[in-house]
Amino acid sequence: MDAFIEGALDVVWSDWLVWLCLGAGLWFTLRSGLIQITGLPNMIRSIVRGGSSADGISPFQALTMSLSGRVGAGNIAGVAGAIAVGGPGAVLWMWVVALLGAATSFIESTLAQIYKERDPRTGEYRGGPAFYFERAYRHTWARIPLTIYAWCFAMASVIALGIFLPGIQTSTMATAVTNAVPAIDKWMVGVVLALVLGTIIIGGVKRIAAFTARVVPIMAAFYLLVAIVVVLFNITEIPDMVRLIVSSAFGVHSAFGGMLGVAISYGVQRGIYSNEAGQGTGPHAAAATEVSHPAKQGLVQAFAVYIDTLIVCSATAFLILSTGMYRVFGEAESMVSFGGYADGLGFEAEPGMDVEYTQAALDSSLQGAGAILLAVALTFFAFSTVVYYYYMAETNLTYAIRRVKSQTFQRAALAALQVMILIVVFYGAMGAGGQAWSIGDIGVGLMAWLNIVGILVLQGPAFKALRDYRKQLKAGRDPQFDPREVGIRNAEFWERRADGAKPGEPDAGAEREPTTTR
């Protein structure tokens, strides 16, 4: 089984996917006119000024929802793992992925807003890659293949988000908690997680959004504050740390000269896992938002990538590198020797022991408290991520079975998903095994392949929306969206809104016939 998992991982995360992620991000950056940089003021404005409705959450809640999925074990254990396998240079490639990925996130999230629907069961907005794959060009000959493609993405998402990925979060969390408080057993952590998660996910998207809006900002600020304190304790190491990151990123450091390819691969891989740009997860929160123009939410989700990688992931990297609490392993699990780092780890380091590096880094400056502080932060980060995983898995399952007329079947399918993710959460906390990260990476890679290829094909409507948004801003107006005025078809929700429909009024959603441009 281990050989099969590693073989599947090598296929999914081949160099082709690495260059696809980087190439797509570069293309979207150039075509959008550096939207991730020129759009920064409007990103902040969209977060602060956005409202909500009975059907849609606010842009700030959508930001925290997407951050709850982005900020988790990948920001703490994932960064440590990238350094352990790819060397310090992997950090720079994570930054590159974030910069380019912000443009990718803008495109996918804008598409999600354009083609969102109202869920007939709950009245809440739903959307994401499966929805825009099916709807964008359903008036053309591509309707049938794109519908099949959309269903494939939906099922891949249900499997990845409902089965493959939650175990990473809860396994990392349980490890951190039991390391900090040995009196607590992992099964206790699993039981508590399953009970609390069950209470939240039954409440639907509104309860999920309310939970993340309260938890994520507080815990992110807490973790960053702790990280800043530790880095300040080691401020004299910062110049050498920056030189180490840059030199090893391009293979010129004496200890990491042969690791350029690995640094790029793991930097991109962990960057995508962490900030999720292009993976197709951010669009789910983007679609749930009440905004007056799709580009506004695209900008908000682009900003989420910055918060995740350039701030939270960088904080972890600086913690580990400035304190020297890391080791880098070669292909045969042999340590790469270099200048006296990692002498004070305090445990027998092995590949895969990712969270322990970050705990050791905190303990090096906050003796006795570092492990506990990290366990608290990671508990909230990882748990909120699992909550968001469930929301996205439910959205995609709802899409996959929505043409089934039996309400009993639909309720049973959703109940089965809830039971499955609770089992996975408990099993992950008990110890998902050494292949947990590999299995999770397979899920991330499959979603990234399907979504990035898809948005490269469907990018046109997103750029039409961007041009319309900029045109209205230039005219001094608060952008309002009517898809017919810019030649976008099949965006029925926005057509009804432009015609005066109020939030809460029923719409035909996916069952309406394709529209024509007027």
Side-chain angles (χ1 to χ4, degrees), residues 234-281:
N234 300 278
I235 195 167
T236 58
E237 302 294 331
I238 299 300
D240 288 339
M241 179 196 69
V242 173
R243 282 193 291 269
L244 178 66
I245 291 173
V246 175
S247 63
S248 57
F250 297 100
V252 298
H253 190 281
S254 58
F256 309 109
M259 300 186 66
L260 176 58
V262 180
I264 296 175
S265 178
Y266 271 82
V268 173
Q269 187 172 327
R270 286 289 172 257
I272 293 295
Y273 178 83
S274 175
N275 63 50
E276 301 184 357
Q279 183 183 331
T281 51

mmCIF file of all heavy atoms in Angstrom, residues 234-281:
data_model
loop_
_atom_site.group_PDB
_atom_site.id
_atom_site.type_symbol
_atom_site.label_atom_id
_atom_site.label_comp_id
_atom_site.label_asym_id
_atom_site.label_seq_id
_atom_site.Cartn_x
_atom_site.Cartn_y
_atom_site.Cartn_z
ATOM 1 N N ASN A 234 15.751 36.313 18.469
ATOM 2 C CA ASN A 234 16.845 35.842 17.609
ATOM 3 C C ASN A 234 17.090 36.798 16.444
ATOM 4 O O ASN A 234 17.467 36.379 15.352
ATOM 5 C CB ASN A 234 16.499 34.450 17.069
ATOM 6 C CG ASN A 234 16.288 33.423 18.160
ATOM 7 O OD1 ASN A 234 17.227 32.850 18.689
ATOM 8 N ND2 ASN A 234 15.037 33.193 18.515
ATOM 9 N N ILE A 235 16.871 38.071 16.677
ATOM 10 C CA ILE A 235 16.908 39.053 15.595
ATOM 11 C C ILE A 235 18.279 39.145 14.931
ATOM 12 O O ILE A 235 18.388 39.469 13.743
ATOM 13 C CB ILE A 235 16.456 40.441 16.119
ATOM 14 C CG1 ILE A 235 16.137 41.361 14.933
ATOM 15 C CG2 ILE A 235 17.512 41.041 17.048
ATOM 16 C CD1 ILE A 235 15.405 42.614 15.351
ATOM 17 N N THR A 236 19.319 38.836 15.665
ATOM 18 C CA THR A 236 20.665 38.901 15.066
ATOM 19 C C THR A 236 20.860 37.824 14.002
ATOM 20 O O THR A 236 21.789 37.926 13.185
ATOM 21 C CB THR A 236 21.743 38.758 16.152
ATOM 22 O OG1 THR A 236 21.554 37.520 16.852
ATOM 23 C CG2 THR A 236 21.678 39.914 17.133
ATOM 24 N N GLU A 237 20.015 36.799 14.017
ATOM 25 C CA GLU A 237 20.136 35.720 13.036
ATOM 26 C C GLU A 237 19.398 36.021 11.736
ATOM 27 O O GLU A 237 19.538 35.274 10.755
ATOM 28 C CB GLU A 237 19.577 34.410 13.622
ATOM 29 C CG GLU A 237 20.240 33.955 14.910
ATOM 30 C CD GLU A 237 21.699 33.575 14.692
ATOM 31 O OE1 GLU A 237 22.026 33.136 13.571
ATOM 32 O OE2 GLU A 237 22.493 33.727 15.640
ATOM 33 N N ILE A 238 18.596 37.084 11.709
ATOM 34 C CA ILE A 238 17.744 37.354 10.555
ATOM 35 C C ILE A 238 18.543 37.548 9.263
ATOM 36 O O ILE A 238 18.201 36.952 8.224
ATOM 37 C CB ILE A 238 16.836 38.572 10.813
ATOM 38 C CG1 ILE A 238 15.923 38.307 12.018
ATOM 39 C CG2 ILE A 238 16.008 38.889 9.573
ATOM 40 C CD1 ILE A 238 15.026 37.122 11.866
ATOM 41 N N PRO A 239 19.596 38.372 9.225
ATOM 42 C CA PRO A 239 20.336 38.545 7.957
ATOM 43 C C PRO A 239 20.873 37.225 7.405
ATOM 44 O O PRO A 239 20.744 36.953 6.201
ATOM 45 C CB PRO A 239 21.473 39.503 8.351
ATOM 46 C CG PRO A 239 20.938 40.259 9.520
ATOM 47 C CD PRO A 239 20.124 39.267 10.286
ATOM 48 N N ASP A 240 21.469 36.403 8.284
ATOM 49 C CA ASP A 240 21.984 35.110 7.826
ATOM 50 C C ASP A 240 20.843 34.206 7.358
ATOM 51 O O ASP A 240 21.003 33.436 6.390
ATOM 52 C CB ASP A 240 22.761 34.420 8.947
ATOM 53 C CG ASP A 240 24.106 35.088 9.212
ATOM 54 O OD1 ASP A 240 24.593 35.788 8.302
ATOM 55 O OD2 ASP A 240 24.646 34.913 10.319
ATOM 56 N N MET A 241 19.703 34.293 8.013
ATOM 57 C CA MET A 241 18.559 33.467 7.648
ATOM 58 C C MET A 241 18.065 33.828 6.241
ATOM 59 O O MET A 241 17.781 32.943 5.421
ATOM 60 C CB MET A 241 17.430 33.662 8.657
ATOM 61 C CG MET A 241 16.170 32.859 8.361
ATOM 62 S SD MET A 241 14.758 33.472 9.300
ATOM 63 C CE MET A 241 14.499 35.059 8.499
ATOM 64 N N VAL A 242 17.953 35.118 5.960
ATOM 65 C CA VAL A 242 17.491 35.556 4.639
ATOM 66 C C VAL A 242 18.472 35.116 3.559
ATOM 67 O O VAL A 242 18.076 34.631 2.492
ATOM 68 C CB VAL A 242 17.295 37.086 4.613
ATOM 69 C CG1 VAL A 242 16.973 37.561 3.202
ATOM 70 C CG2 VAL A 242 16.187 37.492 5.576
ATOM 71 N N ARG A 243 19.772 35.266 3.826
ATOM 72 C CA ARG A 243 20.775 34.827 2.854
ATOM 73 C C ARG A 243 20.693 33.320 2.631
ATOM 74 O O ARG A 243 20.858 32.839 1.502
ATOM 75 C CB ARG A 243 22.180 35.219 3.339
ATOM 76 C CG ARG A 243 22.514 36.685 3.125
ATOM 77 C CD ARG A 243 24.004 36.941 3.326
ATOM 78 N NE ARG A 243 24.391 36.777 4.726
ATOM 79 C CZ ARG A 243 24.393 37.773 5.616
ATOM 80 N NH1 ARG A 243 24.034 39.000 5.237
ATOM 81 N NH2 ARG A 243 24.760 37.553 6.863
ATOM 82 N N LEU A 244 20.432 32.570 3.704
ATOM 83 C CA LEU A 244 20.305 31.117 3.598
ATOM 84 C C LEU A 244 19.125 30.738 2.706
ATOM 85 O O LEU A 244 19.229 29.852 1.851
ATOM 86 C CB LEU A 244 20.133 30.513 4.994
ATOM 87 C CG LEU A 244 19.944 28.997 5.076
ATOM 88 C CD1 LEU A 244 21.201 28.279 4.620
ATOM 89 C CD2 LEU A 244 19.568 28.588 6.491
ATOM 90 N N ILE A 245 17.982 31.403 2.900
ATOM 91 C CA ILE A 245 16.793 31.117 2.102
ATOM 92 C C ILE A 245 17.055 31.380 0.622
ATOM 93 O O ILE A 245 16.777 30.545 -0.244
ATOM 94 C CB ILE A 245 15.593 31.968 2.586
ATOM 95 C CG1 ILE A 245 15.128 31.507 3.975
ATOM 96 C CG2 ILE A 245 14.435 31.877 1.589
ATOM 97 C CD1 ILE A 245 14.060 32.397 4.587
ATOM 98 N N VAL A 246 17.627 32.547 0.315
ATOM 99 C CA VAL A 246 17.831 32.940 -1.082
ATOM 100 C C VAL A 246 18.877 32.063 -1.752
ATOM 101 O O VAL A 246 18.685 31.565 -2.871
ATOM 102 C CB VAL A 246 18.220 34.427 -1.174
ATOM 103 C CG1 VAL A 246 18.555 34.807 -2.615
ATOM 104 C CG2 VAL A 246 17.094 35.308 -0.636
ATOM 105 N N SER A 247 20.007 31.857 -1.067
ATOM 106 C CA SER A 247 21.084 31.084 -1.688
ATOM 107 C C SER A 247 20.679 29.640 -1.924
ATOM 108 O O SER A 247 20.968 29.052 -2.969
ATOM 109 C CB SER A 247 22.351 31.150 -0.828
ATOM 110 O OG SER A 247 22.131 30.567 0.447
ATOM 111 N N SER A 248 19.977 29.031 -0.956
ATOM 112 C CA SER A 248 19.580 27.630 -1.132
ATOM 113 C C SER A 248 18.409 27.495 -2.098
ATOM 114 O O SER A 248 18.227 26.438 -2.713
ATOM 115 C CB SER A 248 19.226 26.996 0.216
ATOM 116 O OG SER A 248 18.196 27.713 0.866
ATOM 117 N N ALA A 249 17.615 28.565 -2.273
ATOM 118 C CA ALA A 249 16.499 28.508 -3.220
ATOM 119 C C ALA A 249 16.978 28.338 -4.648
ATOM 120 O O ALA A 249 16.289 27.742 -5.483
ATOM 121 C CB ALA A 249 15.648 29.768 -3.107
ATOM 122 N N PHE A 250 18.177 28.861 -4.937
ATOM 123 C CA PHE A 250 18.710 28.783 -6.297
ATOM 124 C C PHE A 250 19.895 27.814 -6.400
ATOM 125 O O PHE A 250 20.652 27.825 -7.366
ATOM 126 C CB PHE A 250 19.114 30.167 -6.783
ATOM 127 C CG PHE A 250 17.955 31.112 -6.881
ATOM 128 C CD1 PHE A 250 17.716 32.048 -5.893
ATOM 129 C CD2 PHE A 250 17.071 31.023 -7.948
ATOM 130 C CE1 PHE A 250 16.629 32.909 -5.974
ATOM 131 C CE2 PHE A 250 15.984 31.880 -8.038
ATOM 132 C CZ PHE A 250 15.755 32.825 -7.043
ATOM 133 N N GLY A 251 20.067 26.999 -5.356
ATOM 134 C CA GLY A 251 21.051 25.929 -5.413
ATOM 135 C C GLY A 251 22.489 26.370 -5.305
ATOM 136 O O GLY A 251 23.393 25.618 -5.672
ATOM 137 N N VAL A 252 22.747 27.586 -4.777
ATOM 138 C CA VAL A 252 24.133 28.054 -4.701
ATOM 139 C C VAL A 252 24.723 27.914 -3.302
ATOM 140 O O VAL A 252 25.921 28.142 -3.112
ATOM 141 C CB VAL A 252 24.236 29.535 -5.149
ATOM 142 C CG1 VAL A 252 23.800 29.674 -6.591
ATOM 143 C CG2 VAL A 252 23.399 30.447 -4.242
ATOM 144 N N HIS A 253 23.903 27.536 -2.317
ATOM 145 C CA HIS A 253 24.432 27.324 -0.972
ATOM 146 C C HIS A 253 25.234 26.024 -0.958
ATOM 147 O O HIS A 253 24.837 25.018 -1.543
ATOM 148 C CB HIS A 253 23.291 27.260 0.042
ATOM 149 C CG HIS A 253 23.747 27.286 1.475
ATOM 150 N ND1 HIS A 253 24.250 26.175 2.110
ATOM 151 C CD2 HIS A 253 23.780 28.299 2.384
ATOM 152 C CE1 HIS A 253 24.566 26.490 3.351
ATOM 153 N NE2 HIS A 253 24.293 27.783 3.539
ATOM 154 N N SER A 254 26.352 26.036 -0.263
ATOM 155 C CA SER A 254 27.260 24.885 -0.293
ATOM 156 C C SER A 254 26.601 23.610 0.220
ATOM 157 O O SER A 254 26.872 22.514 -0.280
ATOM 158 C CB SER A 254 28.510 25.190 0.548
ATOM 159 O OG SER A 254 28.153 25.499 1.884
ATOM 160 N N ALA A 255 25.715 23.736 1.223
ATOM 161 C CA ALA A 255 25.103 22.534 1.797
ATOM 162 C C ALA A 255 23.916 22.036 0.987
ATOM 163 O O ALA A 255 23.539 20.869 1.091
ATOM 164 C CB ALA A 255 24.651 22.821 3.233
ATOM 165 N N PHE A 256 23.307 22.926 0.170
ATOM 166 C CA PHE A 256 22.081 22.561 -0.531
ATOM 167 C C PHE A 256 22.212 22.717 -2.044
ATOM 168 O O PHE A 256 21.233 22.901 -2.742
ATOM 169 C CB PHE A 256 20.919 23.420 -0.020
ATOM 170 C CG PHE A 256 20.795 23.433 1.463
ATOM 171 C CD1 PHE A 256 21.108 24.575 2.198
ATOM 172 C CD2 PHE A 256 20.397 22.301 2.148
ATOM 173 C CE1 PHE A 256 21.011 24.579 3.574
ATOM 174 C CE2 PHE A 256 20.292 22.308 3.524
ATOM 175 C CZ PHE A 256 20.602 23.437 4.243
ATOM 176 N N GLY A 257 23.418 22.669 -2.536
ATOM 177 C CA GLY A 257 23.656 22.911 -3.949
ATOM 178 C C GLY A 257 22.962 21.932 -4.868
ATOM 179 O O GLY A 257 22.613 22.277 -5.996
ATOM 180 N N GLY A 258 22.749 20.712 -4.435
ATOM 181 C CA GLY A 258 22.119 19.722 -5.290
ATOM 182 C C GLY A 258 20.624 19.594 -5.084
ATOM 183 O O GLY A 258 20.024 18.628 -5.555
ATOM 184 N N MET A 259 19.996 20.550 -4.374
ATOM 185 C CA MET A 259 18.595 20.403 -4.001
ATOM 186 C C MET A 259 17.681 21.399 -4.696
ATOM 187 O O MET A 259 16.547 21.613 -4.259
ATOM 188 C CB MET A 259 18.445 20.554 -2.479
ATOM 189 C CG MET A 259 19.222 19.528 -1.676
ATOM 190 S SD MET A 259 18.890 19.622 0.087
ATOM 191 C CE MET A 259 17.166 19.147 0.146
ATOM 192 N N LEU A 260 18.145 22.037 -5.787
ATOM 193 C CA LEU A 260 17.333 23.055 -6.437
ATOM 194 C C LEU A 260 15.980 22.503 -6.865
ATOM 195 O O LEU A 260 14.930 23.087 -6.571
ATOM 196 C CB LEU A 260 18.080 23.633 -7.650
ATOM 197 C CG LEU A 260 17.299 24.644 -8.498
ATOM 198 C CD1 LEU A 260 16.854 25.825 -7.648
ATOM 199 C CD2 LEU A 260 18.143 25.111 -9.674
ATOM 200 N N GLY A 261 15.992 21.370 -7.566
ATOM 201 C CA GLY A 261 14.740 20.799 -8.041
ATOM 202 C C GLY A 261 13.811 20.420 -6.905
ATOM 203 O O GLY A 261 12.598 20.630 -6.978
ATOM 204 N N VAL A 262 14.372 19.855 -5.840
ATOM 205 C CA VAL A 262 13.558 19.458 -4.691
ATOM 206 C C VAL A 262 12.992 20.694 -3.988
ATOM 207 O O VAL A 262 11.841 20.704 -3.542
ATOM 208 C CB VAL A 262 14.383 18.617 -3.700
ATOM 209 C CG1 VAL A 262 13.530 18.203 -2.517
ATOM 210 C CG2 VAL A 262 14.934 17.382 -4.399
ATOM 211 N N ALA A 263 13.792 21.760 -3.879
ATOM 212 C CA ALA A 263 13.333 22.990 -3.238
ATOM 213 C C ALA A 263 12.143 23.574 -3.991
ATOM 214 O O ALA A 263 11.145 23.984 -3.385
ATOM 215 C CB ALA A 263 14.474 24.014 -3.173
ATOM 216 N N ILE A 264 12.237 23.609 -5.318
ATOM 217 C CA ILE A 264 11.131 24.143 -6.112
ATOM 218 C C ILE A 264 9.896 23.256 -5.953
ATOM 219 O O ILE A 264 8.785 23.745 -5.701
ATOM 220 C CB ILE A 264 11.529 24.251 -7.601
ATOM 221 C CG1 ILE A 264 12.668 25.258 -7.780
ATOM 222 C CG2 ILE A 264 10.327 24.657 -8.443
ATOM 223 C CD1 ILE A 264 13.206 25.327 -9.189
ATOM 224 N N SER A 265 10.093 21.932 -6.097
ATOM 225 C CA SER A 265 8.974 21.005 -6.042
ATOM 226 C C SER A 265 8.246 21.086 -4.708
ATOM 227 O O SER A 265 7.016 21.221 -4.668
ATOM 228 C CB SER A 265 9.468 19.578 -6.293
ATOM 229 O OG SER A 265 8.394 18.657 -6.206
ATOM 230 N N TYR A 266 9.001 21.013 -3.604
ATOM 231 C CA TYR A 266 8.353 21.031 -2.296
ATOM 232 C C TYR A 266 7.845 22.415 -1.927
ATOM 233 O O TYR A 266 6.841 22.547 -1.219
ATOM 234 C CB TYR A 266 9.300 20.490 -1.217
ATOM 235 C CG TYR A 266 9.170 18.996 -1.060
ATOM 236 C CD1 TYR A 266 9.829 18.130 -1.924
ATOM 237 C CD2 TYR A 266 8.342 18.449 -0.092
ATOM 238 C CE1 TYR A 266 9.695 16.754 -1.813
ATOM 239 C CE2 TYR A 266 8.195 17.081 0.032
ATOM 240 C CZ TYR A 266 8.874 16.234 -0.825
ATOM 241 O OH TYR A 266 8.716 14.876 -0.721
ATOM 242 N N GLY A 267 8.525 23.458 -2.392
ATOM 243 C CA GLY A 267 8.024 24.804 -2.147
ATOM 244 C C GLY A 267 6.683 25.017 -2.810
ATOM 245 O O GLY A 267 5.740 25.548 -2.204
ATOM 246 N N VAL A 268 6.555 24.591 -4.066
ATOM 247 C CA VAL A 268 5.290 24.716 -4.786
ATOM 248 C C VAL A 268 4.230 23.812 -4.171
ATOM 249 O O VAL A 268 3.085 24.219 -3.931
ATOM 250 C CB VAL A 268 5.479 24.389 -6.279
ATOM 251 C CG1 VAL A 268 4.130 24.351 -6.993
ATOM 252 C CG2 VAL A 268 6.391 25.420 -6.935
ATOM 253 N N GLN A 269 4.611 22.560 -3.887
ATOM 254 C CA GLN A 269 3.659 21.590 -3.346
ATOM 255 C C GLN A 269 3.091 22.049 -2.016
ATOM 256 O O GLN A 269 1.871 22.063 -1.816
ATOM 257 C CB GLN A 269 4.359 20.243 -3.178
ATOM 258 C CG GLN A 269 3.449 19.095 -2.788
ATOM 259 C CD GLN A 269 4.180 17.763 -2.843
ATOM 260 O OE1 GLN A 269 5.066 17.558 -3.665
ATOM 261 N NE2 GLN A 269 3.827 16.855 -1.958
ATOM 262 N N ARG A 270 3.970 22.437 -1.089
ATOM 263 C CA ARG A 270 3.492 22.896 0.215
ATOM 264 C C ARG A 270 2.829 24.269 0.107
ATOM 265 O O ARG A 270 1.924 24.587 0.872
ATOM 266 C CB ARG A 270 4.651 22.943 1.206
ATOM 267 C CG ARG A 270 5.090 21.544 1.659
ATOM 268 C CD ARG A 270 4.040 20.933 2.578
ATOM 269 N NE ARG A 270 4.350 19.537 2.858
ATOM 270 C CZ ARG A 270 3.741 18.514 2.293
ATOM 271 N NH1 ARG A 270 2.795 18.717 1.409
ATOM 272 N NH2 ARG A 270 4.062 17.277 2.602
ATOM 273 N N GLY A 271 3.268 25.082 -0.845
ATOM 274 C CA GLY A 271 2.617 26.370 -1.046
ATOM 275 C C GLY A 271 1.184 26.201 -1.499
ATOM 276 O O GLY A 271 0.269 26.856 -0.986
ATOM 277 N N ILE A 272 0.962 25.302 -2.458
ATOM 278 C CA ILE A 272 -0.397 25.037 -2.932
ATOM 279 C C ILE A 272 -1.237 24.428 -1.823
ATOM 280 O O ILE A 272 -2.406 24.790 -1.632
ATOM 281 C CB ILE A 272 -0.368 24.101 -4.154
ATOM 282 C CG1 ILE A 272 0.268 24.815 -5.350
ATOM 283 C CG2 ILE A 272 -1.778 23.643 -4.508
ATOM 284 C CD1 ILE A 272 -0.506 25.986 -5.871
ATOM 285 N N TYR A 273 -0.645 23.484 -1.052
ATOM 286 C CA TYR A 273 -1.407 22.878 0.047
ATOM 287 C C TYR A 273 -1.804 23.939 1.066
ATOM 288 O O TYR A 273 -2.916 23.919 1.595
ATOM 289 C CB TYR A 273 -0.587 21.784 0.732
ATOM 290 C CG TYR A 273 -1.317 21.176 1.909
ATOM 291 C CD1 TYR A 273 -2.254 20.168 1.707
ATOM 292 C CD2 TYR A 273 -1.121 21.647 3.194
ATOM 293 C CE1 TYR A 273 -2.959 19.633 2.768
ATOM 294 C CE2 TYR A 273 -1.822 21.119 4.260
ATOM 295 C CZ TYR A 273 -2.734 20.109 4.050
ATOM 296 O OH TYR A 273 -3.434 19.607 5.112
ATOM 297 N N SER A 274 -0.901 24.872 1.335
ATOM 298 C CA SER A 274 -1.152 25.864 2.360
ATOM 299 C C SER A 274 -2.118 26.944 1.891
ATOM 300 O O SER A 274 -3.167 27.165 2.500
ATOM 301 C CB SER A 274 0.170 26.506 2.801
ATOM 302 O OG SER A 274 -0.068 27.550 3.711
ATOM 303 N N ASN A 275 -1.774 27.661 0.797
ATOM 304 C CA ASN A 275 -2.618 28.793 0.410
ATOM 305 C C ASN A 275 -3.756 28.406 -0.520
ATOM 306 O O ASN A 275 -4.665 29.203 -0.751
ATOM 307 C CB ASN A 275 -1.779 29.920 -0.204
ATOM 308 C CG ASN A 275 -1.092 29.516 -1.493
ATOM 309 O OD1 ASN A 275 -1.702 28.980 -2.398
ATOM 310 N ND2 ASN A 275 0.214 29.801 -1.581
ATOM 311 N N GLU A 276 -3.708 27.199 -1.098
ATOM 312 C CA GLU A 276 -4.799 26.616 -1.874
ATOM 313 C C GLU A 276 -5.120 27.382 -3.151
ATOM 314 O O GLU A 276 -6.171 27.150 -3.769
ATOM 315 C CB GLU A 276 -6.062 26.476 -1.011
ATOM 316 C CG GLU A 276 -5.842 25.601 0.210
ATOM 317 C CD GLU A 276 -7.101 25.371 1.019
ATOM 318 O OE1 GLU A 276 -8.151 25.934 0.664
ATOM 319 O OE2 GLU A 276 -7.037 24.630 2.013
ATOM 320 N N ALA A 277 -4.259 28.293 -3.575
ATOM 321 C CA ALA A 277 -4.501 29.037 -4.810
ATOM 322 C C ALA A 277 -4.465 28.082 -5.994
ATOM 323 O O ALA A 277 -3.473 27.390 -6.209
ATOM 324 C CB ALA A 277 -3.449 30.132 -4.981
ATOM 325 N N GLY A 278 -5.546 28.029 -6.753
ATOM 326 C CA GLY A 278 -5.629 27.125 -7.890
ATOM 327 C C GLY A 278 -6.173 25.759 -7.543
ATOM 328 O O GLY A 278 -6.548 24.996 -8.437
ATOM 329 N N GLN A 279 -6.238 25.440 -6.266
ATOM 330 C CA GLN A 279 -6.732 24.119 -5.860
ATOM 331 C C GLN A 279 -8.229 24.005 -6.042
ATOM 332 O O GLN A 279 -8.766 22.912 -6.189
ATOM 333 C CB GLN A 279 -6.352 23.861 -4.400
ATOM 334 C CG GLN A 279 -6.741 22.486 -3.878
ATOM 335 C CD GLN A 279 -6.404 22.331 -2.397
ATOM 336 O OE1 GLN A 279 -5.472 22.957 -1.901
ATOM 337 N NE2 GLN A 279 -7.174 21.517 -1.698
ATOM 338 N N GLY A 280 -8.929 25.137 -6.022
ATOM 339 C CA GLY A 280 -10.373 25.116 -6.212
ATOM 340 C C GLY A 280 -11.170 25.134 -4.934
ATOM 341 O O GLY A 280 -12.389 24.940 -4.961
ATOM 342 N N THR A 281 -10.511 25.385 -3.799
ATOM 343 C CA THR A 281 -11.238 25.429 -2.532
ATOM 344 C C THR A 281 -11.737 26.844 -2.213
ATOM 345 O O THR A 281 -12.868 27.018 -1.767
ATOM 346 C CB THR A 281 -10.339 24.931 -1.389
ATOM 347 O OG1 THR A 281 -9.098 25.638 -1.430
ATOM 348 C CG2 THR A 281 -10.060 23.447 -1.532
#
